[in-house]
Amino acid sequence: MHEGRPVSVDRLAHDLWGDDLPGNPANALQAKVSQLRRVLGRDRVVRQAPGYRLRLDGPGDEVDADRFRALADRARTVAEPRTRADLLTEALSLWRGAPFADFADEEFARAAADRLADERLAVLEEQAEARLEAGEHLLLAGELAALVARHPLRERLRTVQMRALYRAGRQSEALAAYADLRKLLADELGLDPGPEIAALHEAILRQDEPLAPEPGAAPRSHLPVPLTELIGRDPCMDDVERLLGTARLVTLTGPGGVGKTRLAVEAARRLDGTGFPDGVWLVEFAGQRGGAAELAQEVSAVLGLRDDVPSGTPGTSAGPAERLAAALRDRRLLLVLDNCEQVAGPAAELADLLLRSAAGLRILTTGREPLGLTGETVYLVEPLQEADAVRLFAARATASAPGFSLDDGREAVAEICRRLDGIPLALELAATRVRALGVRELAARLTDRFGVLTTGPRGAPARQRTLRAMIDWSWELLAPSERIVLRRLAVHVDGCGLDAAEAVCSGDGVRRDDVVDLLTRLVDRSLVVMADGTSGPRYRLLESVAAYAMERLEEKDDLTGTRDRHLRHYLDLAERAEPQLRGADQRAWLDRLDTEAANMRAALDEAMGRPDAPRLATALCWWWLLRGRLHEARRTLSAVLDAAPRQDAELRLLRDAFALLTGDRSGPPAERKMPGRALWLYAYGLFHIGDPDASEKTNARALDLFGEAGDRWGTAASLSLRAMLALVRGDLRTIGRDGPDAARLFRELGDRWGELQTVSPLAVLAEIKGDYAEAERRQNEGLRIARDLDLRTEVSARLSGLGRLALLARDWDRARDLHERAGRLAVEQGYMYGEMHALMGLALGARRSGDLDAAETLLHRIRDEYDSSEIGEHLLEAELGFTAELRGDTSRALAHHRRGLEIARSIGEPRAVALSLEGLAGAAVLGGDAERAARLLGAADAFRRSVDAPLPPAERGDVDRITAAVTAALGRARPHS
C-alpha cells in the first residue's frame, strides 16, 4: 500500500496490533519481518530509516496495481477505439474483486483501497467510451445498467449510458436516465447536472444527426445475449481469440457440459467488429441429422441468404452447399458452428468446402470430437479449476437459494466441485438443489448423483436438463465396441496406463490389439481424458462418467469378469515390481507403484478372502516401507490375515513388523525358520521402537539366513542395521566396520534406499570424530538420494542432520531454518520421529544461542506431546538439566541430570553417561561443590576416551563453560595453587 516508500516502525506496529501491542513491539515486528524475508527474499525487505520498505525496483509488472495503471496509461495514448478498448479490457481483467478485501475493515487499508477502487471505476468509464466509439452501443445499452445502479451519481458514466441508449434507438430510456440523475443530485447533494451532460440531454431532445442510429443499420452478429456471467474462462477466451488470429478453423472439444458453447459465444462476442466486417454468426447443429446440404441450408437461413433462385438462372444446378460457398466467397465473417458431434462427417465436409471457397472466412466449431480436417486447430476446453468451480457454484447457488453463503459451507462446496469434476453444467444443476438440501446434504448425496441432479433450467435443451441426459447424449453416439471399453475402464481408480487398459478392457467382443484404437476414439470424443504419465500415456474417466459407465457395466453382467482381469493385471505388476525395488531401477518402479496406488487398493479389496490377497499384500510390503505408508501396510496386512481362510506365518510376521514401525509392540517372531527379509523387517521395526537388544538378536538370525542363501542384499541390510544398533550403544568400532561395508554392497546392487540407511550412522561417526566436512558430505549425499527417490521422511531427517552441523558451526540462523524446514516436512508426512528430531534441534539452537525461554518451551513440548526412545529421553533430560543450570536452579538441574544418568546406564552408551556426568558437574559447581564437579568432569572424559570419542572442539561449549567455572572456584578456594 505504501508503494515502495519507507514505513516507520511505529506505523507498522500500530497497523499490525493497534492498541493491543505485544510486550516488546520492536522484537515482535522484527520476527514478522524475518518471516516476510523468508518468503520474499532478504534483499526485498529493506531496513531504511525510520523503519522498513518493500523494494519494488524489479520488472514493472511485478505488482498488479502497477500493471493495471501501465495498461490504462498505454491505452490513453491509442487513437483507434477498438484497440484502446481492448487495452482497457486487459487492464480490468487483472481485477479479481475489491482491493485489499481481506482487510476491508482495517483503517490502514481504507485510503489505498478507496483510491484503487476510484481508479478502476475511471477505467471502466474510459472502456465504455472506447467501446461506444467502436460501435458497441447495442451491447453497452444493456451492460451499463448494473454499473450505473452501483454508482448512480457518476455523471461521466451516465453520459456514456445515455449515448449508448440513444444510438440503440432507445431515446425514451436515455431521457429517463437523465431525469433519474437530476433527481438524485437534487435530493442528495442539492446540485444540478453538469453542463456536458445537460448539453447531451438537449441534443437527444432535438435528435441531432450525430447521435442518430445509422439508417437501415442491421446487427452484424447473430449471438445470443448471455443471462449469467461467464466465470473462470478469461484465459480460455484469450487463447481462442489468439488461435482465430492465425488459424482459419478452430474446434473446441471437451466433455459434455464443460461449457464449449458458452466459451465459443463469448469468444466470438469479443471478436465482433474486429476484422469481421460481415459479422459474427452462431449456427446451432444440435438438432440436425442430415448431410452437408441440410447443414448448408441451416447456415444460409441464419445468415439470411435467399435460396429461392428462379429456375434457369446460371448456377441453379448447384446444391445448397455450393450456393452458400459462392455467397460467402468475398465476405469476411466468423461462423460459429455449435454442437457438431452428431453430424461430424457432414459438418467437416461443409467446413472444408466453405474454407476452400471463401478466403475471408473463419470457422469456430464446438463438439465432443475434432472434425479431422487439414489445418484444423483443436483446443481442449478443460473442466474448471477448483477455485473457479467454487466461484461458479457459489454464484449459481446464491441466485437460486436466497440467503446462501459460501462461508457457511466452503468445504462442502469444494467437495461438490471435486466430485463433479469442475464441469460447469453439473455444477449449475447441483446449485439448483442447494435451496432444498443445503450444501452438506447435497455433498453427502452425490454417491447417487444421477438421482439427485435431475432438474435443470426449463429453457435449456433436453440434453442439458439432467446429469444423466448429458452423458446419455455422448453414450448414444458410441459404437458397441467403444461402449464396451468405456464401461470396463470404470473399474480402474484414478486412471490406468495403456497396458492396464489392454489387459482389463479386452475379451468378450474386443480384441486386445483393438483397445488402443478404441481408446483413441474415446479420447477424441472427450469421454476419456488422456495425460502423460511417468511411464507413458494415462487414461482417466471423469467421476460422473465413471459412475455412469459402472452402471452400464453392471447392467451387462460384465462387472465380475472385468474386476478379475483388473486383479490379475495388478497382482502381476506388484510381483514384477517387488524385486526391482531393491535394485538400480528402484526410482522408476517406485514411481510406477505410486501412480497405481489407488488401483492396488482396489485390487486388494477385490482379492480379500481369496488366495491372491496374501500374494498381493506381500508383494506390496517393500513399496509401503520405502514410501513410509506404514499405517496403510499394517491395516491392510491385518485385514488380509483376518479374511484369509488359513493363517500365513510370513504375512503375520510382516504385519507385526509394520506394527512395530507404527509404534506398537507385538509378540516375538515365531521360532521356526522364517524368510530372511521378513525377519530383517521385524528387526528393523524393533530398532525403531527402541528395543535394541531384541532387534540385535533378530537381526543376527536374519544375517545368518542371508549368509546361507548367498543373499547380498540381505547381508547389506543386516550390516546396515547392525551399524545403527552400534550407534545406539556407542560402539564406534562396529559402525566404522559395518557401515562402509553395507554402503558398498548397496551401491554395487544399485539400491539407493539401502545406501541411504547407512548415511546416519556414518555421518554421526564422522561428527563424533570431529570431521565435520565428511559428516556434511554424507548428509548432503543422503539428501540428494532422498530427494531423487522422493522419500520425504528421509529428506526431513537429512535436513535435521544438516541443521545439527550448522549448530556446531554456531550458524544459528541456518540451523533454525534447516530444522524448521525439516519439521514442516515431517508434519506433512505424519513422521513423528522427524517432528521430534527437528524440535530438539530448534531447542538445542535456542539454548546455545542464549534464548532459554524458547528452549524450555520446546523441550516441554517434546516431553508432553511425543513418546521418545531411551536415547531421546536421555537427551531431553540433559537439555532440561543444562537449561536449569544456566538459569541458576541447582535442584532442578541435579534432578534432570540424575534421571538422565539412570537412562544412560540402562542403555549402556558411554557417551550418554559422559554427557550426564558433565551436566552433574555443572550442577555441582553451581551448588558450590567444585571438587566434586572436577571429579565428575574427569570421569566423563574417561568414559568418552573409552570408546575413542573425546569431545571435538565444536561440541565443548558446555564442558568448557563448566570447566572454567570449576577452575575459577578451585582457584578462589586455593589461592596458593
Side-chain angles (χ1 to χ4, degrees):
M1 286 181 291
H2 292 272
E3 299 176 335
R5 299 185 298 275
V7 190
S8 72
V9 169
D10 290 344
R11 177 65 180 273
L12 286 169
H14 180 269
D15 288 348
L16 279 169
W17 295 292
D19 295 331
D20 188 20
L21 291 171
N24 190 331
N27 283 356
L29 180 63
Q30 191 168 5
K32 294 288 186 187
V33 169
S34 296
Q35 292 173 347
L36 186 59
R37 281 172 170 163
R38 283 199 289 275
V39 176
L40 298 181
R42 181 170 295 276
D43 59 331
R44 304 306 302 273
V45 184
V46 182
R47 186 77 167 91
Q48 180 174 329
Y52 297 90
R53 73 178 181 91
L54 186 65
R55 187 166 64 77
L56 298 175
D57 52 4
D61 62 352
E62 201 169 32
V63 179
D64 52 5
D66 292 343
R67 293 201 302 273
F68 168 72
R69 292 177 182 127
L71 285 166
D73 290 342
R74 181 179 161 201
R76 291 171 187 131
T77 66
V78 175
E80 201 280 313
R82 168 51 56 193
T83 304
R84 186 164 74 252
D86 288 346
L87 285 169
L88 293 169
T89 300
E90 184 180 351
L92 290 165
S93 71
L94 296 172
W95 286 76
R96 292 293 182 269
F100 304 113
D102 292 343
F103 305 95
D105 297 329
E106 301 287 351
E107 182 62 36
F108 69 81
R110 198 161 295 144
D114 289 347
R115 182 174 67 253
L116 280 168
D118 284 343
E119 289 180 33
R120 177 175 183 260
L121 186 54
V123 171
L124 279 167
E125 290 170 334
E126 292 177 57
Q127 180 203 40
E129 290 170 344
R131 290 176 62 192
L132 186 65
E133 287 182 57
E136 292 190 32
H137 45 273
L138 291 173
L139 290 172
L140 280 170
E143 291 178 9
L144 288 176
L147 189 60
V148 168
R150 291 197 297 273
H151 306 283
L153 296 176
R154 298 278 295 199
E155 290 194 16
R156 184 179 184 182
L157 189 58
R158 289 274 191 169
T159 299
V160 182
Q161 183 194 32
M162 289 169 62
R163 290 182 188 276
L165 287 168
Y166 182 56
R167 291 183 182 180
R170 296 157 65 178
Q171 179 179 345
S172 61
E173 292 178 57
L175 294 172
Y178 179 79
D180 180 54
L181 173 66
R182 184 170 58 186
K183 184 176 187 304
L184 282 171
L185 285 171
D187 292 347
E188 297 189 19
L189 302 176
L191 299 173
D192 291 325
E196 181 182 349
I197 197 168
L200 174 62
H201 176 245
E202 291 297 324
I204 291 174
L205 287 172
R206 294 192 304 270
Q207 295 192 13
D208 281 356
E209 184 66 23
L211 291 173
E214 296 176 13
R220 295 171 300 154
S221 64
H222 190 77
L223 300 174
V225 177
L227 300 177
T228 56
E229 177 191 4
L230 181 62
I231 292 174
R233 293 302 194 194
D234 286 350
C236 297
M237 285 197 287
D238 293 340
D239 291 342
V240 174
E241 186 175 355
R242 175 178 52 78
L243 292 174
L244 282 168
T246 57
R248 297 185 59 214
L249 172 61
V250 176
T251 295
L252 307 186
T253 67
V258 81
K260 301 180 290 292
T261 298
R262 184 69 191 276
L263 173 60
V265 170
E266 291 294 338
R269 187 182 304 285
R270 269 197 190 184
L271 294 166
D272 188 14
T274 60
F276 298 108
D278 293 304
V280 177
W281 304 85
L282 172 69
V283 185
E284 173 62 66
F285 282 170
Q288 299 297 316
R289 293 292 186 276
E294 286 77 12
L295 299 185
Q297 288 176 327
E298 183 67 20
V299 175
S300 297
V302 169
L303 293 174
L305 300 176
R306 294 172 61 88
D307 200 28
D308 55 348
V309 182
S311 60
T313 305
T316 54
S317 60
E322 289 74 15
R323 290 199 295 275
L324 174 61
L328 298 183
R329 190 179 309 279
D330 298 320
R331 297 198 184 190
R332 293 175 61 198
L333 75 161
L334 172 64
L335 276 182
V336 181
L337 307 180
D338 189 36
N339 286 297
C340 293
E341 55 262 19
Q342 287 199 319
V343 287
E349 183 184 340
L350 177 63
D352 186 52
L353 173 64
L354 297 181
L355 289 168
R356 291 178 185 279
S357 304
L361 175 67
R362 292 282 195 277
I363 297 179
L364 175 62
T365 76
T366 75
R368 301 187 190 183
E369 61 179 301
L371 296 183
L373 292 176
T374 301
E376 177 183 28
T377 297
V378 180
Y379 183 83
L380 176 62
V381 183
E382 297 183 332
L384 293 173
Q385 296 295 316
E386 184 173 309
D388 290 326
V390 168
R391 284 176 55 217
L392 173 64
F393 182 89
R396 303 300 185 257
T398 301
S400 66
F404 167 79
S405 171
L406 184 58
D407 293 336
D408 296 335
R410 187 177 294 273
E411 289 184 6
V413 170
E415 181 184 352
I416 290 167
C417 294
R418 285 192 296 271
R419 296 287 307 279
L420 295 177
D421 303 299
I423 298 292
L425 177 58
L427 296 174
E428 294 189 353
L429 291 171
T432 65
R433 292 302 201 187
V434 171
R435 186 173 183 181
L437 295 175
V439 290
R440 292 178 181 83
E441 184 65 18
L442 175 59
R445 288 176 175 265
L446 283 182
T447 49
D448 180 26
R449 65 190 64 211
F450 299 117
V452 174
L453 306 184
T454 57
T455 305
R458 289 190 179 93
R463 67 181 187 280
Q464 295 180 356
R465 290 181 191 166
T466 71
L467 185 61
R468 185 181 297 280
M470 180 184 84
I471 305 176
D472 277 339
W473 173 267
S474 297
W475 180 265
E476 295 302 325
L477 299 175
L478 299 179
S481 55
E482 293 169 341
R483 294 180 184 180
I484 292 173
V485 171
L486 180 61
R487 64 182 183 238
R488 289 176 179 172
L489 282 172
V491 301
H492 295 93
V493 186
D494 198 27
C496 66
L498 179 57
D499 59 338
E502 289 175 329
V504 176
C505 298
S506 59
D508 298 330
V510 174
R511 294 188 314 119
R512 186 184 182 104
D513 291 345
D514 292 338
V515 170
V516 63
D517 181 56
L518 293 168
L519 267 177
T520 303
R521 282 148 62 181
L522 289 169
V523 170
D524 286 343
R525 286 160 174 74
S526 304
L527 283 165
V528 174
V529 178
M530 191 280 285
D532 290 329
T534 54
S535 56
R538 192 156 184 84
Y539 302 93
R540 180 176 64 86
L541 302 183
L542 299 180
E543 189 170 330
S544 294
V545 175
Y548 182 94
M550 184 61 75
E551 285 188 5
R552 295 288 189 172
L553 189 63
E554 291 170 347
E555 286 174 7
K556 291 292 184 181
D557 294 328
D558 195 14
L559 181 58
T560 301
T562 304
R563 281 188 167 157
D564 280 344
R565 290 191 296 275
H566 180 274
L567 170 57
R568 287 199 301 274
H569 174 77
Y570 287 102
L571 173 59
D572 176 68
L573 176 63
E575 291 185 331
R576 283 190 291 120
E578 197 269 347
Q580 303 298 328
L581 293 175
R582 292 184 292 276
D585 293 330
Q586 189 175 63
R587 174 59 194 264
W589 283 96
L590 276 173
D591 289 344
R592 187 160 186 190
L593 290 179
D594 290 346
T595 302
E596 300 296 356
N599 279 309
M600 290 297 178
R601 283 193 291 270
L604 276 163
D605 290 342
E606 181 64 22
M608 283 297 175
R610 296 160 54 176
D612 291 329
R615 286 177 56 194
L616 181 54
T618 301
L620 290 174
C621 278
W622 215 251
W623 170 60
W624 283 327
L625 175 68
L626 267 60
R627 279 295 179 237
R629 296 170 176 254
L630 308 178
H631 290 279
E632 179 183 348
R634 179 187 176 187
R635 284 194 308 271
T636 305
L637 291 165
S638 296
V640 170
L641 282 166
D642 290 344
R646 60 183 181 81
Q647 287 295 299
D648 183 308
E650 180 184 1
L651 204 66
R652 189 166 62 252
L653 182 60
L654 289 169
R655 186 270 316 273
D656 292 344
F658 279 104
L660 292 170
L661 289 167
T662 55
D664 284 353
R665 292 183 177 274
S666 63
E671 288 302 320
R672 62 180 177 272
K673 193 169 184 179
M674 298 291 294
R677 286 176 189 162
L679 205 59
W680 178 87
L681 187 59
Y682 190 85
Y684 188 71
L686 288 167
F687 168 75
H688 276 272
I689 63 162
D691 192 345
D693 292 339
S695 177
E696 188 167 10
K697 290 176 184 175
T698 308
N699 187 51
R701 288 169 54 196
L703 182 57
D704 289 341
L705 291 173
F706 292 137
E708 292 170 12
D711 186 335
R712 296 175 70 225
W713 183 92
T715 299
S718 288
L719 291 176
S720 172
L721 181 53
R722 197 158 71 181
M724 289 190 281
L725 288 162
L727 180 61
V728 173
R729 295 193 310 274
D731 182 358
L732 307 187
R733 189 173 293 104
T734 297
I735 300 173
R737 182 192 67 226
D738 289 349
D741 284 350
R744 175 182 52 77
L745 280 170
F746 279 132
R747 201 157 38 243
E748 290 172 358
L749 293 165
D751 186 344
R752 304 196 76 202
W753 178 85
E755 191 177 347
L756 185 58
Q757 304 312 298
T758 68
V759 166
S760 187
L762 291 174
V764 173
L765 178 62
E767 186 182 315
I768 292 168
K769 299 292 187 182
D771 190 348
Y772 299 129
E774 171 66 6
E776 186 167 8
R777 184 191 70 77
R778 289 197 178 272
Q779 292 286 10
N780 277 317
E781 176 61 20
L783 184 61
R784 279 191 293 274
I785 295 173
R787 283 176 170 160
D788 183 52
L789 296 178
D790 194 25
L791 303 176
R792 298 180 188 184
T793 56
E794 288 287 353
V795 171
S796 171
R798 302 286 71 77
L799 289 173
S800 283
L802 289 167
R804 161 80 175 166
L805 292 169
L807 286 178
L808 296 176
R810 302 181 65 81
D811 189 343
W812 312 127
D813 288 342
R814 183 167 185 266
R816 182 174 57 252
D817 177 62
L818 286 164
H819 282 115
E820 286 176 347
R821 286 162 56 195
R824 284 194 299 270
L825 195 54
V827 169
E828 289 171 9
Q829 299 300 309
Y831 179 36
M832 299 289 284
Y833 175 78
E835 293 177 45
M836 187 171 59
H837 198 181
L839 287 172
M840 180 58 78
L842 291 170
L844 288 167
R847 181 178 74 79
R848 294 183 182 190
S849 63
D851 191 347
L852 300 183
D853 289 344
E856 205 160 44
T857 298
L858 289 162
L859 293 168
H860 286 161
R861 180 179 167 191
I862 295 170
R863 182 191 63 192
D864 296 342
E865 297 180 14
Y866 297 88
D867 292 327
S868 298
S869 66
E870 286 186 309
I871 285 288
E873 293 255 353
H874 172 263
L875 182 57
L876 181 64
E877 294 294 342
E879 282 301 306
L880 285 168
F882 282 125
T883 304
E885 177 227 322
L886 289 167
R887 288 190 183 281
D889 190 335
T890 305
S891 61
R892 278 206 306 138
L894 281 170
H896 285 301
H897 285 305
R898 283 170 178 161
R899 171 66 183 140
L901 184 59
E902 289 176 16
I903 298 170
R905 283 172 172 160
S906 73
I907 59 178
E909 215 284 51
R911 293 184 308 116
V913 172
L915 182 62
S916 293
L917 293 176
E918 289 155 0
L920 286 169
V925 74
L926 182 65
D929 193 345
E931 290 188 1
R932 182 168 182 271
R935 290 195 296 274
L936 288 167
L937 287 174
D941 184 61
F943 269 101
R944 292 191 182 279
R945 292 184 185 280
S946 72
V947 289
D948 193 25
L951 273 176
E955 295 188 62
R956 292 191 56 86
D958 287 318
V959 171
D960 287 348
R961 172 176 54 78
I962 295 166
T963 299
V966 170
T967 302
L970 290 175
R972 287 194 298 271
R974 303 174 189 172
H976 59 278
S977 54

